[in-house]
């Protein structure tokens, strides 16, 4: 590829009509911009390609459409999913788009955007006799960067990458790792004039003929990093450590409601904890209505006050203690984890039966810790409070739980009202004994 041009021009022609399934995009573009010349680069949004190729489907449930297009979930926060889709692209929602399409439908990305670009390029050559490059674009977010930008997801007749390795900069320094994503830079330039809601889905770049290849060249697939070279493809251990570090006891919550699906995903993580004898000792009672939370907490408060009075505590002392427990009332969502002993062994020996129960308690604690860490990974704050363990009969009665379910505290869940206080330093060596 020769050196860059000193200037170029980019514009978005008017006159491209609404696209329908079966439309010939090359003919529509040629009619809207008959003055295309050799060396131009035509950029068109993936939405019009999807419409022309009939990638519009009826989908009341957008999440189901995303599921169908997803190969691998890379990251998730609440309802937002960053996934690898069937085209190999890592992006939000698998590229499934509910905008610029009739209500009740969604747009899927083209099956093969490189093939789509080749078809449009060949059509423009036939219609206008010109040799142009074609890029299909879509809007992406980027890791570590705010905002969206258009990138190339399909290309034909464009040198999508400019490999500068082996050359030198103006100071004579060797360029050892510089590969420019030319097609992405062109896509972003085109988006500046196309916009997102202007009804101009096509842009033309003129003056950069050196990026246009005489053949179809490598498609945009060349921009997708191979799995073996992707340092951030897995990141599981880093993600787990981050979630564990971010798990903090939160005592003040905002009023923002908690997505029940988020809690259920955290429960799914909780029940992967180890347990004795291949058992499943965890049960999670989700208090999603304000009525259920108030009814339980009122009953627990009454039981707690009765206990404290029996202990001879003063009314002032009781009031202070009750106030400390109000974190559960300030949360928009409560979860009561319970222990069940299904599958436990009975030895008829106090020592061994006691150890058996301790094994199940430890397994339940592991499940609760998984649950708290998973909530932190979803961006939710939590506070585990032991109070239900002191009035199990009351909790079972109010929540209509089986007699063999033992409440193991309660977890307040919600969005933290503010940043946590700095955690005091802890030297791991102080907690380690080596033999």
């Amino acid at each position: 590829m020769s050196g860059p041009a000193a200037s170029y021009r980019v514009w978005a022609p008017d006159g491209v009509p609404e696209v329908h399934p079966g439309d010939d995009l090359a003919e529509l573009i040629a009619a809207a911009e008959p003055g295309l010349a050799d060396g131009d680069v035509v950029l068109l949004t993936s939405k019009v390609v999807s419409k022309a190729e009939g990638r519009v489907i009826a989908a009341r449930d957008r999440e189901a459409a995303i599921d169908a297009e997803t190969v691998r979930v890379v990251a998730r926060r609440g309802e937002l999913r960053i996934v690898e889709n069937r085209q190999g692209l890592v992006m939000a929602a698998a590229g499934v788009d509910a905008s610029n399409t009739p209500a009740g439908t969604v747009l899927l990305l083209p099956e093969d955007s490189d093939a789509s670009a080749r078809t449009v390029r060949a059509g423009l050559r036939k219609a206008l006799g010109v040799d142009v490059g074609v890029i299909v674009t879509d809007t992406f977010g980027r890791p570590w960067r705010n905002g969206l930008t258009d990138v190339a997801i399909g290309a034909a007749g464009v040198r999508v990458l400019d490999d500068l390795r082996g050359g030198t900069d103006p100071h004579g320094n060797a360029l050892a790792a510089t590969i420019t994503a030319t097609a992405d830079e062109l896509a972003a330039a085109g988006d500046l004039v196309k916009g997102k809601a202007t009804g101009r889905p096509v842009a033309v770049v003129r003056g950069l003929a050196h990026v246009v290849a005489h053949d179809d060249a490598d498609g945009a697939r060349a921009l997708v990093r191979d799995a073996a070279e992707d340092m951030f493809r897995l990141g599981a251990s880093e993600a787990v450590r981050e979630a564990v570090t971010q798990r903090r006891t939160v005592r003040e919550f905002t009023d923002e409601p908690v997505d029940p699906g988020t809690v259920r995903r955290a429960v799914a993580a909780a029940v992967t904890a180890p347990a004795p004898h291949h058992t499943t000792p965890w049960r999670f009672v989700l208090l999603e209505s304000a009525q259920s939370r108030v009814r339980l907490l009122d009953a627990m408060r009454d039981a707690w006050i009765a206990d404290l009075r029996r202990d001879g505590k003063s009314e002032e002392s009781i009031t202070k203690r009750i106030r400390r427990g109000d974190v559960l009332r300030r949360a928009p969502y409560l979860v009561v984890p319970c222990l069940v002993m299904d599958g436990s062994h009975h030895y008829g020996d106090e020592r061994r039966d006691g150890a058996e129960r301790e094994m199940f308690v430890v397994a339940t604690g592991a499940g609760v810790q998984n649950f708290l860490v998973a909530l932190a990974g979803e961006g939710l704050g939590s506070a585990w409070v032991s109070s239900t363990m002191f009035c199990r009969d009351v909790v079972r009665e109010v929540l209509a739980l089986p007699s063999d379910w033992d409440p193991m505290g309660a977890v307040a869940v919600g969005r933290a009202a503010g940043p946590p206080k700095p955690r005091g330093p802890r030297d791991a060596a102080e907690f380690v004994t080596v033999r």
Side-chain angles (χ1 to χ4, degrees):
M1 186 184 297
S2 61
S7 64
Y8 66 92
R9 178 183 171 219
V10 57
W11 72 96
D14 292 314
V16 178
E18 178 66 24
V19 175
H20 301 96
D23 281 353
D24 187 322
L25 287 175
E27 289 184 359
L28 297 180
I29 295 168
E33 190 55 58
L36 286 176
D38 289 346
D40 287 347
V41 179
V42 176
L43 306 118
L44 60 159
T45 178
S46 62
K47 289 183 177 63
V48 295
V49 179
S50 295
K51 290 178 179 179
E53 295 178 353
R55 297 282 285 165
V56 184
I57 64 169
R60 294 180 181 176
D61 185 358
R62 180 170 177 252
E63 296 302 309
I66 295 171
D67 288 341
E69 292 295 297
T70 295
V71 171
R72 177 175 61 94
V73 176
V74 176
R76 182 196 297 268
R77 177 170 292 172
E79 293 184 356
L80 175 63
R81 283 183 283 172
I82 307 298
V83 306
E84 178 184 347
N85 67 12
R86 293 193 289 114
Q87 292 82 16
L89 301 169
V90 175
M91 59 194 309
V96 176
D97 199 338
S99 64
N100 291 302
T101 185
T105 66
V106 295
L107 287 170
L108 309 181
L109 289 180
E111 285 276 6
D112 184 342
S113 296
D114 286 332
S116 302
R118 291 194 294 270
T119 298
V120 173
R121 184 180 190 229
L124 290 172
R125 183 185 294 116
K126 179 180 178 181
L128 299 176
V130 293
D131 189 16
V132 299
V134 173
I135 294 176
V136 178
T137 72
D138 198 39
T139 303
F140 272 43
R142 287 108 1 102
W144 310 293
R145 303 285 289 179
N146 286 323
L148 303 172
T149 185
D150 263 22
V151 301
I153 65 168
V158 176
R159 296 183 175 93
V160 296
L161 294 168
D162 188 8
D163 190 348
L164 302 177
R165 293 174 298 179
T168 58
D169 67 15
H171 298 281
N173 300 309
L175 299 176
T178 303
I179 303 176
T180 301
T182 304
D184 283 348
E185 293 183 328
L186 290 165
D191 192 51
L192 290 174
V193 293
K194 285 188 298 173
K196 301 301 181 190
T198 60
R200 294 195 295 267
V202 176
V204 180
V205 175
R206 178 167 293 170
L208 300 177
H210 64 283
V211 307
V212 175
H214 292 299
D215 56 11
D216 282 331
D218 290 335
R221 183 73 189 191
L223 293 161
V224 178
R225 196 183 301 275
D226 291 336
E229 298 175 351
D230 189 351
M231 295 175 63
F232 304 99
R233 180 177 178 82
L234 298 178
S237 60
E238 291 84 359
V240 169
R241 283 197 294 272
E242 178 69 12
V244 171
T245 301
Q246 293 300 315
R247 191 222 62 77
R248 302 289 297 277
T249 296
V250 174
R251 300 193 179 279
E252 296 294 339
F253 299 92
T254 70
D255 294 332
E256 182 180 349
V258 172
D259 173 18
T262 301
V263 178
R264 284 163 174 76
R265 287 195 294 273
V267 171
V271 299
T272 64
H277 314 315
H278 305 289
T279 58
T280 56
W282 323 275
R283 301 293 185 272
F284 291 84
V285 184
L286 311 183
L287 278 64
E288 295 184 343
S289 71
Q291 295 89 338
S292 64
R293 294 192 295 273
V294 170
R295 187 168 62 249
L296 174 64
L297 295 176
D298 284 352
M300 288 172 55
R301 179 194 58 202
D302 293 343
W304 195 3
I305 290 173
D307 283 345
L308 292 171
R309 284 175 177 163
R310 280 195 297 269
D311 292 341
K313 302 296 183 183
S314 68
E315 293 302 313
E316 181 181 0
S317 174
I318 291 173
T319 300
K320 289 181 179 179
R321 289 169 183 261
I322 294 297
R323 190 179 299 121
R324 285 202 296 269
D326 279 351
V327 61
L328 296 178
R329 291 187 183 273
R330 294 193 292 270
Y333 198 108
L334 290 183
V335 178
V336 178
C338 295
L339 161 67
V340 297
M341 295 288 289
D342 290 349
S344 62
H345 295 173
H346 300 281
Y347 301 97
D349 176 281
E350 183 176 345
R351 175 180 58 84
R352 288 189 292 171
D353 284 344
E356 183 79 2
R357 178 173 174 80
E358 287 177 355
M359 290 194 330
F360 276 74
V361 170
V362 169
T364 302
V368 172
Q369 173 69 355
N370 274 12
F371 180 66
L372 300 178
V373 170
L375 289 174
E378 296 275 3
L380 290 173
S382 63
W384 176 80
V385 180
S386 62
S387 53
T388 67
M389 301 170 69
F390 293 88
C391 52
R392 284 176 169 147
D393 288 341
V394 170
V395 176
R396 281 191 286 258
E397 180 181 354
V398 171
L399 299 182
L401 302 180
S403 61
D404 59 347
W405 286 29
D406 283 345
M408 302 296 284
V411 179
V413 182
R415 301 282 178 187
K421 295 179 180 179
R423 179 180 272 130
R426 290 179 181 174
D427 183 356
E430 296 178 3
F431 303 90
V432 174
T433 299
V434 179
R435 295 288 188 263

